Amino acid sequence: MTAAEALEQLKKAGLGDGVELFAGPKDAALLVTRERVKQLLRHLRDSRPFSCDLLLMITGTHMTEKRAPDKTTPDGVDVNGGVVKGTTVKGALLREAGFEVIWHLRSVAKHHLLAVKCRLPLADPRVDSVADLWPAADWHERETWDLLGITFTGHPNLRRILLPESWVGHPLRKDYVAPKEFEGINLEVDAPWPTP
Amino acid sequence: MADPMTAPAKPQIEPAKPQTAPARTLVLPGDPRPPDVHVDVRTQELQINMGPQHPSTHGVLRVAIWVDGEIVTRAEPDIGYLHRCAEKIGESVSCIQYVPYTDRYDYLAAMNNNLGYCLAVEKVAEIDVPEKAQYVRTVAVELNRIGSHLMAVGTYGLDLGAFTPFFYAFREREEILRLLEWICGARLTYNFIRIGGVMRDLPEGFAADTRKFLDLFETRLDEFNDLLTHNHIFVNRTANVGVISPDMAIAYGLTGPNLRGSGLRYDLRREQPYLLYDRFQFDIPVGTGIKGTVGDCWDRYWVRMLEMKESVRIVRQALDQMPATGEIMAKNVRHLAFKSKPGEGYLGIENPRGELGYYLISDGGANSYRSRIRAPSFCNLSILEAILPGTMLADAVAIIGSIDIVLGEVDR
Amino acid sequence: MGLFERNLPDIYLTRLADLAVNWGRASSLWPMTFGIACCAIEMMAVGAATFDMDRFGAGAFRATPRQADLMIVAGTVNAKMAHVVKRLYDQMPEPKYVMAMGACTVGGGPYWKHGYNVVKGIDKFVPVDVHVPGCPPRPEAIIEGVRFLQRKIMAKRVLAQGVETKPDFTGVSVSPGTVGILDPTVRPTSTVYRAPTALGFLAPSGGRA
């Protein structure tokens, strides 16, 4: 089942509002507003035509703002992930700043893969947790919080999983600066390596 | 008396209250109530720490275990002792440069990791791989799968106190490493599968040597079965221990031999054939509960043993079908100035430990904008919190070993 | 050696005693089972039948630091792990030796630039006796690292006063590290290492049997 077919099914079931198709190059996904995320994922898990019972992963991306450069560019990506052919307007907004969270679901019985995507504002990255729908979501959400700083409301135990508890910052944000020292352990490189 | 193995988990032990009546350990004739044995032996909850330096956690896993007597009441895995910034590096170096890094995440199945990443990049960048290269990839990947499973079963014996099978497993594994070293020059971290093809063609005489090894290996698998699989002590330690039901396995996102050990016939090589797996005849072994219950530790172990036989079959067929000559690298890949097309995609392959997926976002540059690894061990390990409570402390080692984790991949 | 440690006159007799003590220490190094990452697999391979580190007296892997005197740090050490490594080192009894195995422990390895979490070289917090480079080092390289360490131990002063002499590394060849056999016509075979004779360390020309 492709994302387009899934959207049709959802519209038939009366759940289509707030859901649109993210038809970027390559993999398509269902783009959903953050208020509807949990309801949609629960539907995808429970309803028979989807039966997406296996949660593959949850992850996020920090999207920086991207504007068209001054001169003519080759194909760029627009706000919705589509390809802009040829010339773009000088300084046009190609991509908004913010966070994207994506859920990949697989159906073991029906052999299909669906992706659900949600955009979050940079200032307030917060989305509903699905740890009560899938126990597997627990660690994925913790990891996304740890590395990207996206808050999953309703998660029972949202704390760092890979980095130490007292670590500062979220490394996968694009503006992250690596620390020089952590609790007395020096993390710097001794001497610069010779550059060829 | 209730079997301690099936006793329900007690999440929290309440402080002992003063008893008003003495504990009944004797049953008077005519009294239908069973004796109150729990009052007789009063225990206190104790927290013990397993790892990160522990010989049977397969790396630097730390599990905080709360025990009541010998029964585990709560277990909390603590990971991150091998966090090596995989995803940040994936954004910081170019796609071509990132291939050697993928070796180091699941270091027991480095070929499979190379393959997963290369397939994902090829999907996003739209690169077609020549047929000969796909056969070479299949041979390398399946040999690597045998090596990885040998390591899993060999060290599983070691965890349970059987030292000899470890040496037998390593004897075969060294032979596989020698074959892989022959094709790429490295024993463990290969960087053999490149974006667009493979590093080089199989050397002269490789096919003949591999066939000779496979013939020998099949007889040695039987030897291994005599040593460990049907060993009475081993069966007693693993059968009916750590049972994972299919529903639970899916809820926790288990894949690979752990999911198939629970009786579900699910293998991405069959469901979503990548490479040329639709051209080969092979079976997908599942756990059937021969020695105990479906989904116990022994079943997961047995699925790995059977999978090695299937891999042998696949390697034989791939060597038979492989064209003698042909391109091994796609034409349209510019390795020095590699640029991916903009787009994003997820691609999952069947790693020896489960579904290894790479989710890549490219915005048209040399580097990925985002590269996320769906590591099978990470998902498989999360079930530990659910299945350890209620088991004996000594079985914790058997359960962790049967899940077969690689910490490099869990922590990435 | 307690009270007498490097406190006795530098005479033939104390030097001879040193030699005996060092020979005992060098010939039975007990490494600690402490695998962190990829290098741990090669460390296991060294312990297994094909390479068999027991031939060099360093095959008794112990699971606890209290019984070990060689810590092989096999794999990347990050900020969370560094405290554990330090504690394990502190728990080992004297005399203790540390082998930094693999590029990550030597200087950060592939993670030296973008690894925000990785300690670039374990010599930042524990003293290292031998560095074995490679990613991961071949089992032969580990064996060679052990033999380097044995030479180093043989040159130590235990009872006698005086300046330590430089270790004698003659007879230990420098292996090509991780450079594998890149000639596709040659099928790799494992290198056969012959064990040194019992008093191999004493011979001035090295331990070639």
Side-chain angles (χ1 to χ4, degrees), chain C residues 47-95:
Chain C
T50 315
F51 295 97
D52 194 9
M53 208 148 78
D54 255 339
R55 294 174 299 163
F56 305 92
F61 282 94
R62 312 308 295 173
T64 159
R66 306 277 185 207
Q67 297 172 356
D69 47 13
L70 169 63
M71 178 162 80
I72 304 180
V73 184
T76 319
V77 177
N78 67 14
K80 201 171 176 178
M81 194 67 200
H83 295 280
V84 180
V85 175
K86 182 75 172 59
R87 179 179 292 187
L88 286 170
Y89 178 76
D90 291 343
Q91 283 175 345
M92 281 164 64
E94 292 274 358

Side-chain angles (χ1 to χ4, degrees), chain A residues 60 106 111 117 143 174, chain B residues 271 344 355 369-370 412:
Chain A
R106 196 186 273 289
H111 317 305
K117 216 171 201 193
E143 194 196 319
K174 299 284 176 188
Chain B
E271 306 297 337
E344 64 174 81
E355 176 168 353
Y369 190 76
R370 175 87 171 94
R412 300 182 302 281

Side-chain angles (χ1 to χ4, degrees), chain B residues 121-129 195-197 330-333 338:
Chain B
V121 174
E122 282 155 13
K123 178 180 174 181
V124 174
E126 290 174 0
I127 297 168
D128 288 325
V129 181
I195 294 166
K331 282 277 191 303
N332 58 347
V333 187
F338 180 81

Side-chain angles (χ1 to χ4, degrees), chain A residues 137-151:
Chain A
D138 183 348
W139 280 25
H140 287 284
E141 288 178 356
R142 275 177 69 186
E143 194 196 319
T144 313
W145 153 251
D146 188 356
L147 300 182
L148 274 154
I150 295 170
T151 313

Side-chain angles (χ1 to χ4, degrees), chain B residues 146 149-150 152-154 156 169 217-218 220-230 234 257 285 298-312:
Chain B
I146 299 174
H149 280 343
L150 275 175
V153 297
Y156 192 36
F217 178 69
E218 277 188 325
R220 287 186 170 171
L221 264 183
D222 297 337
E223 191 183 81
F224 201 85
N225 282 341
D226 293 342
L227 256 178
L228 188 64
T229 312
H230 304 296
F234 179 73
W298 194 87
D299 266 1
R300 291 194 281 280
Y301 162 84
W302 183 232
V303 164
R304 293 197 179 92
M305 293 299 288
L306 293 176
E307 266 183 26
M308 282 195 261
K309 282 196 173 172
E310 298 307 320
S311 292
V312 169

Side-chain angles (χ1 to χ4, degrees), chain A residues 22 25-27 53-54 56-64 66 77 95 102 104 106 108 111 113 117 134-136 139-140 143 147-148 159 161-163 171-174, chain B residues 76-77 79-80 83 87-88 91 123-124 126 250-255 266 268 271-272 342-346 355 359 361 363 369-370 372 374 378-379 381-382 385 411-412:
Chain A
F22 172 83
K26 313 297 168 320
D27 280 7
D53 39 9
L54 188 72
L56 280 181
M57 66 173 187
I58 302 172
T59 190
T61 316
H62 180 197
M63 294 291 186
T64 48
K66 195 177 172 190
V77 188
R95 188 173 60 202
I102 187 158
H104 280 93
R106 196 186 273 289
V108 172
H111 317 305
L113 179 84
K117 216 171 201 193
W134 287 279
W139 280 25
H140 287 284
E143 194 196 319
L147 300 182
L148 274 154
R159 51 194 176 90
I161 185 167
L162 294 178
L163 290 166
L172 282 187
R173 294 197 176 181
K174 299 284 176 188
Chain B
E76 206 174 271
I79 61 174
H83 178 53
E87 287 161 18
K88 190 74 178 177
E91 297 168 6
K123 178 180 174 181
V124 174
E126 290 174 0
I250 286 184
Y252 276 88
L254 257 64
T255 42
Y266 191 78
L268 282 181
E271 306 297 337
Q272 254 186 15
E344 64 174 81
Y346 171 86
E355 176 168 353
Y359 170 65
I361 300 180
D363 65 349
Y369 190 76
R370 175 87 171 94
R372 169 66 151 85
R374 195 260 177 206
F378 179 78
C379 307
L381 187 64
S382 67
E385 289 172 304
D411 296 343
R412 300 182 302 281

